């Protein structure tokens, strides 16, 4: 079974600075998807960024980018120019490519942004 | 935009009651999921359905059942609610991973069992 580990329960960043959130996963599959979701206080889960394992290029969405290291099974999220609205819980998640695959989540990390 | 709607946002139920949590999606997605979210435990999968009338147990199915009679609707049932089922429940949906891999979430249902 796949597992996703987010070892840091909390992080803090100064507004306008850069922060990196760590995630590792364990799988025996060669093709899969990885995601970062954001959950603000409203509790609505919002997709931040996704990566397909067969693509070597790291995904980027505006201020959000990932460092995908397939051999190391590492998938970190970098937030540049942090804003107050980035304060939320962030979840790393894994999904295999099978038709009946589920999404497996890490335990999440709470990010606070200092003004 | 994909919309996943959980009709009940906040519920308070008594121990032993039968509880229905309803979820509807409007994008013709094959896959639907029910997760439970608790502090320090992240999101844990209760059940998922990969098509109408098809269901599969997730990681914590005990005490729960599901129903998927129509493609757009996926219901979570607590046959006899207990206090340890007090939690936030998240519904989600997606296409088959081969067609589109992003999973979309509803706003959550807060259930308190007293």
């Amino acid at each position: 079974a796949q597992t996703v580990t987010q070892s840091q329960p909390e992080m803090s960043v100064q507004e306008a600075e850069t922060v990196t959130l760590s995630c590792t996963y364990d799988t025996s599959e060669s093709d899969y998807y990885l995601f970062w979701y954001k959950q603000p206080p409203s509790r609505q889960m919002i997709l931040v960024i996704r990566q397909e394992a067969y693509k070597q290029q790291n995904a980027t969405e505006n201020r959000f980018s990932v460092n995908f290291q397939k051999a190391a099974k590492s998938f970190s999220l970098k937030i540049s120019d942090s804003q107050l609205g980035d304060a939320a819980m962030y979840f790393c998640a894994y999904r295999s490519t099978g038709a009946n695959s589920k999404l497996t989540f890490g335990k999440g990390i709470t990010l606070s942004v200092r003004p | 935009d994909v919309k996943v709607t959980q009709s009940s946002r906040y519920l308070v139920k008594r121990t032993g009651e039968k509880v229905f949590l309803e979820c509807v999606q409007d994008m013709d997605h094959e896959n639907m999921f029910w997760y439970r979210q608790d502090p320090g435990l992240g999101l844990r999968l209760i059940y998922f359905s990969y098509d109408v009338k098809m269901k599969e147990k997730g990681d914590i199915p005990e005490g729960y059942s599901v129903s998927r009679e129509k493609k757009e609707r996926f219901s979570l049932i607590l046959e006899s609610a207990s206090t340890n089922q007090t939690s936030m429940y998240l519904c989600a949906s997606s296409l088959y991973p081969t067609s589109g891999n992003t999973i979309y979430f509803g706003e959550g249902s807060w259930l308190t069992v007293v």
Side-chain angles (χ1 to χ4, degrees), chain A residues 1 33-35 37 39 41-47 50-52 89 91 94-108, chain B residues 9 31 33 35 37 40-43 45 48 50 56-59 88 90 94-98 100-108 110:
Chain A
Y33 308 106
L34 296 165
F35 305 84
Y37 279 88
Q39 188 181 48
S42 69
R43 295 293 187 158
Q44 176 70 59
M45 294 285 278
I46 301 164
L47 177 66
R50 65 182 173 205
Q51 175 81 40
E52 296 174 5
M89 277 203 79
F91 291 94
Y94 171 104
R95 189 179 194 190
S96 63
T97 58
N100 303 335
S101 66
K102 60 185 181 179
L103 198 60
T104 300
F105 286 88
K107 293 187 177 180
Chain B
R9 293 295 314 278
N31 292 174
F33 308 82
Y35 285 88
Q37 184 176 7
L41 297 178
L43 279 77
L45 182 66
F48 67 104
Y50 45 90
E56 194 161 321
K57 292 181 180 179
D59 301 316
M88 190 175 81
L90 283 165
S94 79
L95 295 168
Y96 281 135
T98 49
N101 50 64
T102 300
I103 294 183
Y104 299 89
F105 286 84
E107 293 181 303
W110 287 95

Side-chain angles (χ1 to χ4, degrees), chain A residues 47-110:
Chain A
L47 177 66
V48 175
I49 201 165
R50 65 182 173 205
Q51 175 81 40
E52 296 174 5
Y54 68 87
K55 291 185 177 178
Q56 293 186 340
Q57 187 174 5
N58 289 326
T60 299
E61 289 285 344
N62 301 314
R63 297 182 296 108
F64 299 88
S65 61
V66 298
N67 183 6
F68 173 48
Q69 301 288 330
K70 191 172 184 178
K73 296 180 182 175
S74 171
F75 183 61
S76 60
L77 175 69
K78 185 172 81 171
I79 307 174
S80 304
D81 186 26
S82 297
Q83 301 174 0
L84 295 177
D86 295 334
M89 277 203 79
Y90 288 82
F91 291 94
C92 179
Y94 171 104
R95 189 179 194 190
S96 63
T97 58
N100 303 335
S101 66
K102 60 185 181 179
L103 198 60
T104 300
F105 286 88
K107 293 187 177 180
I109 178 170
T110 300

Side-chain angles (χ1 to χ4, degrees), chain A residues 7-20:
Chain A
S7 56
Q8 305 154 303
E10 297 179 349
M11 286 194 76
S12 180
V13 63
Q14 190 75 36
E15 192 176 7
E17 297 293 308
T18 295
V19 64
T20 298

Side-chain angles (χ1 to χ4, degrees), chain A residues 43, chain B residues 6 9-11 21 35-39 41-44 46 60 64 76 78 82-90 108-113:
Chain A
R43 295 293 187 158
Chain B
Q6 295 181 236
R9 293 295 314 278
Y10 302 95
L11 306 94
L21 298 180
Y35 285 88
R36 170 177 172 162
Q37 184 176 7
D38 299 287
L41 297 178
L43 279 77
R44 295 178 292 168
I46 305 171
I60 52 164
Y64 303 94
L76 180 68
L78 288 68
S82 64
T83 54
N84 63 12
Q85 292 178 310
T86 291
S87 185
M88 190 175 81
Y89 293 87
L90 283 165
S109 297
W110 287 95
L111 173 66
T112 301
V113 183

